[in-house]
Amino acid sequence: MSANNPLSNIPPLGATSGMAPGAATGRFRQIDPVRVIRTHIVLLIAALVVGAIMGAGSWFMLDRSMAQFTSHATLSVNSGMTNANEAGVNQLSNMRDLEPKILTEVNAIRSQEILDDLLKQKPIREQTDWFKQFNADLEAARTDLEEETVRASHIRDTTLIRVSATTANGTDAQTIVSELARVYLLQVENRAESRYNQDRVAFQRQFEDVVAQIELVEARINGHLRNHPQAAMDQRNDAPTQELMFLNAKKSEVIELLSAATASYQQLAQRLEDGDYTPSDDEVQIIETSIAIQQIDAELRQLRVERQTQLDGGKLESHPMVESIDSRIRHVELERENAFDNQARSLFKAKLEMGAQAVAVYQEQINTFEPRIAELRAKIEDIQRAQADYETLLRNLESLEKQRDDAQAKLRELDVLIRRAGGITVEMASPATTAKKSFPPHWAVMIPGVTLLFTGLVTGLVFLRELLDQRVRAAADIKALNDTTLLGIIPNAGEDPSGKVPAERVVERQPTGLLAESYRQVRTAVLSKMDRRGYKTLAVAAAKPGAGTSSITQNLGASMAMSGRRVLVIDTNFRRPHQSDLVGAPESPGLIELLRGEQSDPAQCIHTVEGLSLSLLPAGDTVGAAPELLETPAFRDLLARLESSFDIILIDSPPALLTSEAQLLCKHVDAMVLVARARTDTRGMLQRMVGQLDGQRADILGVLLNDVLAAAGGYLRQNFREFHRYHGKSNGSAAKSTRPMAGVTSGPAPSNGATPSPERPSPDSEDTVIVEALQDRDELDDLDEFDEDMA
């Protein structure tokens, strides 16, 4: 019910629309993973089995036809030397400097020169089946080594190189790796030997150069101290530095004061240029307390008192004397404004003059500091330059002395440098390992991996399908909509374990079945809301045809009638009326005849259902009937007359998204129940219907989900079976007692067209206990509570 609808005279309870806030809707639906898995458990188990078979078959075929063995060895790369300062260092402190050299050695291992030397080795030619397959074709063998067999790579963040070989024979792989490492290390050793003598000469020359540089620096230090004796002193506490620090501090203070005074003066000058003499709050207080303003205020107060005296004496506002006083008040007020402005200008000009004087004073103080500061800075700069030159010479001397000491140590360790004389040093870190099978992976890894991959793919497709499916299939899909409440669910007729019965009039024909019990639960939720809010008229609408609106309206009405209510069902579906067919009543006269004025007494058009306090007002002669009949005052008056004769009026309406009747009914009825058919209606369709109907007079109580399959939710099937078993245990005692059923006995119809309530089961009967226990629920607002209660 909309709070803004002027037609509504029923106070709403809670939210004006009657709908509970729901989750935001989107393209992807919210799904329950457990429900999806239970729904597709057979498919997932089959995917698991198929994946295991595929994994086992793939591993067996690859192991028999494409098995490969790999052996590897590890080489350690150390930095070489380009001068004496680098001697004895195993690796560079910065890995970024060493990495290019390592990559160079990686490429050298697989170079054409190394591979050609490898193919010349006797173990390769005579002991490996790998070489024999090429029939002494060295070019083909080298190509295979480059492209397939041999690999060399840098192990990240280390100084290690991994060399590996992969062949169909494990012994061949180990032999190739061993010979390749031996050939490569032999080349590295030969390269170091060839450069040894050159490096020794370079080390000795560098040592002599460093000694000569040390002597030169010592001479420069002595000469500098003779010319600048103050360079070796601490200049931080001398008089020029202290004085300069003091003057700079004072200058900074004056500059800050000058900056503030200048900014204030500029603001005042700008206001003078703009003609803005607005005083500050303090200045306003000064002006207000001045003698001139006080005198004017006293005169104003006297005039206002005199004016009020004239008015109290009976004179009107238009009296000449009152008007004269008003004129004098305006004149004095204008005089006060002029006096206030004059004093404000005087204060402003005084402030402007003070600001100019402050700027001039601060500027003069700064000007007195500048000459002395410049003089002190020149002295200090001379001292600092001399001291900096002295410290630089000391650092150079210290560095050269360190280089000299290092060069001496390297020369003493020259015997150790023979293997480090080259630009790079490579050593064997670990020899060739015993070849292990590298392809295919171990069956304990490959079979579970393929199984999980295949099962994961199938599971992903299943969940993707669930995410993209926009159809409403379970109660949780209703909860995902905005502004919706779930009133209950009506199972598919085939889900009733007690027997296969048609959904039409199931409450009357099989009152102890699952479908009838579902209608009782919906009835409880609907009546709870309607009774609390004082509603009597309820329309039932769906989004499109085929949702079961007519059957639900009839069964819901029958369930309400069995609870002792006087219920009237009105068929407003002028396009496809169906209520008269359900109860076997004539189609006319009916609602159309009453609205057209062809019938004046509603009792002549209402048909009663035998054995129930359920009555029916059929649609009538629908040929040429326009939906606008539901918008006429006649329909509103008819509802008012019928409300005095019946407790509940149920209205069967046509599809809301295809016709306009549902929107027209929203203007006249108290509440509406929306029907959604599982596996047919979509969430977007229901959301559009809610948005289209909400905001009218009718309070949308919630959504009723019809034709729900247990398999679609995964949780309901066990609940259905538990209900059947629970009810079956009571059949023994229930069979001993007999009670009349709806439609079997009937009494005289009341004058209002309704029939009295049929006999109800005894309060002591077990059937009654079961029904009351299962329908002991005020409202069904949450799916989880519903499942827990059913279980």
Side-chain angles (χ1 to χ4, degrees):
M1 178 182 296
S2 173
N4 299 325
N5 189 356
L7 297 177
S8 175
N9 55 5
I10 301 177
L13 180 63
T16 58
S17 65
M19 310 303 286
T25 59
R27 175 169 180 79
F28 299 106
R29 61 182 296 177
Q30 295 180 352
I31 62 175
D32 184 353
V34 178
R35 179 187 64 80
V36 175
I37 292 175
R38 292 182 59 179
T39 304
H40 301 87
I41 187 65
V42 176
L43 175 62
L44 297 181
I45 292 175
L48 193 66
V49 174
V50 172
I53 295 174
M54 291 175 59
S58 301
W59 178 84
F60 182 79
M61 293 178 60
L62 294 175
D63 187 64
R64 286 302 182 100
S65 60
M66 301 179 63
Q68 295 289 316
F69 296 85
T70 300
S71 174
H72 60 82
T74 306
L75 305 178
S76 176
V77 179
N78 301 310
S79 62
M81 302 180 303
T82 58
N83 56 58
N85 291 325
E86 298 177 3
V89 180
N90 290 330
Q91 63 179 17
L92 297 177
S93 59
N94 194 337
M95 279 296 300
R96 289 182 300 178
D97 296 334
L98 185 58
E99 187 172 0
K101 298 183 178 181
I102 296 176
L103 296 178
T104 300
E105 297 303 315
V106 168
N107 294 328
I109 293 173
R110 301 178 69 249
S111 65
Q112 181 176 347
E113 180 184 358
I114 296 296
L115 297 181
D116 287 341
D117 288 344
L118 175 63
L119 294 175
K120 296 176 183 179
Q121 303 305 311
K122 186 176 180 180
I124 299 296
R125 289 174 172 269
E126 298 180 358
Q127 300 177 12
T128 62
D129 295 334
W130 170 83
F131 184 78
K132 295 176 182 179
Q133 67 179 331
F134 297 105
N135 297 322
D137 187 351
L138 297 180
E139 184 67 25
R142 180 160 53 80
T143 302
D144 186 77
L145 286 174
E146 291 177 348
E147 298 179 357
E148 301 291 340
T149 303
V150 174
R151 293 287 184 270
S153 60
H154 173 212
I155 301 178
R156 187 177 180 84
D157 296 330
T158 68
T159 60
L160 301 178
I161 296 176
R162 172 170 292 180
V163 181
S164 62
T166 302
T167 63
N169 186 304
T171 304
D172 291 354
Q174 185 175 1
T175 301
I176 292 174
V177 170
S178 298
E179 290 299 314
L180 178 61
R182 187 180 64 82
V183 170
Y184 172 70
L185 292 176
L186 181 61
Q187 185 193 67
V188 172
E189 186 176 352
N190 293 334
R191 183 175 59 189
E193 288 285 352
S194 65
R195 295 193 56 187
Y196 172 67
N197 294 328
Q198 298 177 9
D199 291 335
R200 181 177 177 82
V201 174
F203 299 156
Q204 184 63 38
R205 184 183 301 114
Q206 184 175 6
F207 174 75
E208 295 173 356
D209 291 342
V210 171
V211 172
Q213 291 179 22
I214 289 175
E215 294 175 354
L216 178 61
V217 170
E218 289 177 344
R220 292 180 61 186
I221 289 175
N222 294 330
H224 187 74
L225 289 177
R226 286 193 301 270
N227 298 328
H228 305 282
Q230 72 276 16
M233 301 177 183
D234 187 359
Q235 301 297 324
R236 291 175 297 179
N237 297 320
D238 61 354
T241 302
Q242 292 295 322
E243 184 179 357
L244 179 63
M245 292 174 60
F246 174 76
L247 290 178
N248 282 332
K250 294 297 292 181
K251 180 181 177 182
S252 298
E253 293 178 3
V254 175
I255 288 175
E256 291 181 0
L257 295 174
L258 175 61
S259 177
T262 302
S264 177
Y265 177 76
Q266 290 176 350
Q267 292 178 357
L268 293 174
Q270 183 64 40
R271 289 177 54 187
L272 177 63
E273 182 180 350
D274 297 338
D276 180 12
Y277 303 101
T278 304
S280 62
D281 294 340
D282 294 337
E283 293 172 346
V284 169
Q285 185 66 27
I286 294 173
I287 296 173
E288 292 288 349
T289 56
S290 64
I291 297 177
I293 297 298
Q294 292 292 328
Q295 291 176 350
I296 295 175
D297 289 343
E299 184 178 356
L300 281 174
R301 285 194 297 272
Q302 181 178 358
L303 289 173
R304 289 190 178 105
V305 170
E306 182 180 352
R307 182 181 186 277
Q308 186 62 39
T309 302
Q310 296 296 330
L311 293 176
D312 293 342
K315 294 184 176 61
L316 300 177
E317 296 281 348
S318 58
H319 192 276
M321 185 174 293
V322 175
E323 291 180 350
S324 174
I325 295 173
D326 289 341
S327 176
R328 291 170 57 194
I329 289 174
R330 287 192 295 272
H331 178 75
V332 174
E333 287 177 346
L334 181 60
E335 181 181 353
R336 186 184 188 281
E337 290 179 1
N338 293 333
F340 186 91
D341 290 342
N342 291 334
Q343 293 195 27
R345 291 190 180 188
S346 299
L347 288 176
F348 182 82
K349 292 179 180 179
K351 286 171 59 180
L352 187 63
E353 292 177 359
M354 291 176 62
Q357 292 176 2
V359 170
V361 169
Y362 292 143
Q363 186 63 52
E364 183 179 357
Q365 291 180 5
I366 292 174
N367 293 336
T368 59
F369 292 148
E370 292 297 338
R372 182 57 180 166
I373 289 176
E375 181 181 353
L376 292 173
R377 283 178 177 172
K379 291 182 180 180
I380 293 173
E381 287 177 359
D382 292 339
I383 297 174
Q384 290 176 345
R385 279 194 296 269
Q387 186 176 10
D389 294 340
Y390 177 70
E391 292 176 353
T392 301
L393 291 172
L394 290 179
R395 287 194 297 269
N396 291 339
L397 178 61
E398 182 181 358
S399 176
L400 290 172
E401 289 176 344
K402 186 177 183 303
Q403 292 181 27
R404 179 194 61 194
D405 295 341
D406 291 343
Q408 287 177 339
K410 299 307 178 288
L411 289 174
R412 288 192 298 265
E413 299 171 358
L414 190 58
D415 291 339
V416 182
L417 303 181
I418 185 171
R419 300 189 60 202
R420 302 183 182 274
I424 199 76
T425 300
V426 183
E427 299 175 345
M428 178 70 74
S430 61
T433 61
T434 302
K436 295 182 180 180
K437 184 181 294 185
S438 58
F439 185 82
H442 193 268
W443 66 268
V445 176
M446 184 171 180
I447 295 178
V450 174
T451 302
L452 292 178
L453 180 63
F454 185 78
T455 306
L457 178 61
V458 174
T459 304
L461 293 176
V462 168
F463 274 86
L464 180 61
R465 181 178 178 274
E466 289 288 333
L467 285 172
L468 296 178
D469 190 358
Q470 295 292 309
R471 296 178 299 167
V472 176
R473 295 191 295 174
D477 296 329
I478 301 298
K479 292 172 58 181
L481 300 177
N482 289 327
D483 301 329
T484 56
T485 297
L486 178 65
L487 291 174
I489 64 173
I490 305 299
N492 181 274
E495 297 289 344
D496 195 340
S498 59
K500 306 297 183 182
V501 295
E504 291 78 4
R505 302 189 65 176
V506 68
V507 172
E508 302 174 38
R509 293 170 179 170
Q510 195 170 14
T512 59
L514 176 64
L515 292 180
E517 181 58 34
S518 300
Y519 278 108
R520 291 189 187 96
Q521 294 172 0
V522 175
R523 175 199 67 192
T524 302
V526 172
L527 289 181
S528 175
K529 293 187 176 184
M530 294 186 66
D531 290 345
R532 282 186 296 168
R533 307 177 190 185
Y535 296 163
K536 301 190 69 174
T537 55
L538 174 66
V540 182
K544 65 178 184 178
T549 306
S550 298
S551 176
I552 288 176
T553 303
Q554 196 282 326
N555 282 301
L556 185 60
S559 181
M560 292 178 177
M562 287 183 178
S563 67
R565 307 292 180 106
R566 296 174 300 167
V567 182
L568 172 64
V569 176
I570 301 178
D571 193 349
T572 62
N573 192 341
F574 298 161
R575 308 168 196 270
R576 293 182 182 179
H578 190 53
Q579 290 295 334
S580 58
D581 296 336
L582 291 178
V583 300
E587 294 183 357
S588 62
L591 176 62
I592 293 177
E593 284 75 13
L594 290 173
L595 298 180
R596 288 175 175 172
E598 298 174 3
Q599 289 286 340
S600 58
D601 186 6
Q604 300 298 323
C605 302
I606 295 176
H607 306 278
T608 60
V609 178
E610 183 181 2
L612 293 177
S613 58
L614 175 65
S615 302
L616 170 67
L617 177 58
D621 186 6
T622 59
V623 178
E628 284 76 13
L629 291 173
L630 300 178
E631 201 173 11
T632 60
F635 181 68
R636 186 183 305 109
D637 296 340
L638 177 62
L639 286 181
R641 294 169 60 187
L642 294 175
E643 286 180 0
S644 62
S645 303
F646 294 92
D647 298 327
I648 299 294
I649 298 177
L650 292 177
I651 300 177
D652 181 7
S653 62
L657 296 184
L658 302 182
T659 64
S660 60
E661 281 87 332
Q663 289 180 281
L664 298 178
L665 290 173
C666 281
K667 300 178 181 180
H668 304 294
V669 299
D670 298 331
M672 290 198 72
V673 170
L674 307 181
V675 178
R677 192 177 188 89
R679 308 178 311 283
T680 300
D681 293 347
T682 64
R683 292 181 295 157
M685 182 186 303
L686 294 180
Q687 195 70 69
R688 289 196 302 272
M689 179 171 63
V690 171
Q692 180 175 300
L693 299 180
D694 195 16
Q696 301 292 336
R697 178 183 187 271
D699 186 355
I700 302 178
L701 301 183
V703 178
L704 176 60
L705 186 59
N706 187 27
D707 195 27
V708 177
L709 287 176
Y715 300 107
L716 298 179
R717 176 164 296 173
Q718 183 178 0
N719 298 335
F720 295 162
R721 292 174 179 172
E722 288 292 334
F723 169 80
H724 182 60
R725 284 195 296 268
Y726 181 67
H727 178 71
K729 292 179 181 179
S730 67
N731 284 342
S733 60
K736 296 178 182 179
S737 63
T738 59
R739 59 188 179 92
M741 301 292 292
V744 177
T745 60
S746 62
S751 60
N752 56 18
T755 58
S757 166
E759 290 187 36
R760 303 295 306 277
S762 160
D764 299 329
S765 68
E766 192 168 353
D767 283 349
T768 302
V769 175
I770 296 172
V771 171
E772 292 177 352
L774 288 176
Q775 69 185 40
D776 186 15
R777 183 183 295 103
D778 290 334
E779 291 189 52
L780 185 58
D781 292 332
D782 189 84
L783 175 63
D784 297 332
E785 294 179 4
F786 173 68
D787 289 338
E788 292 171 1
D789 292 342
M790 287 291 290

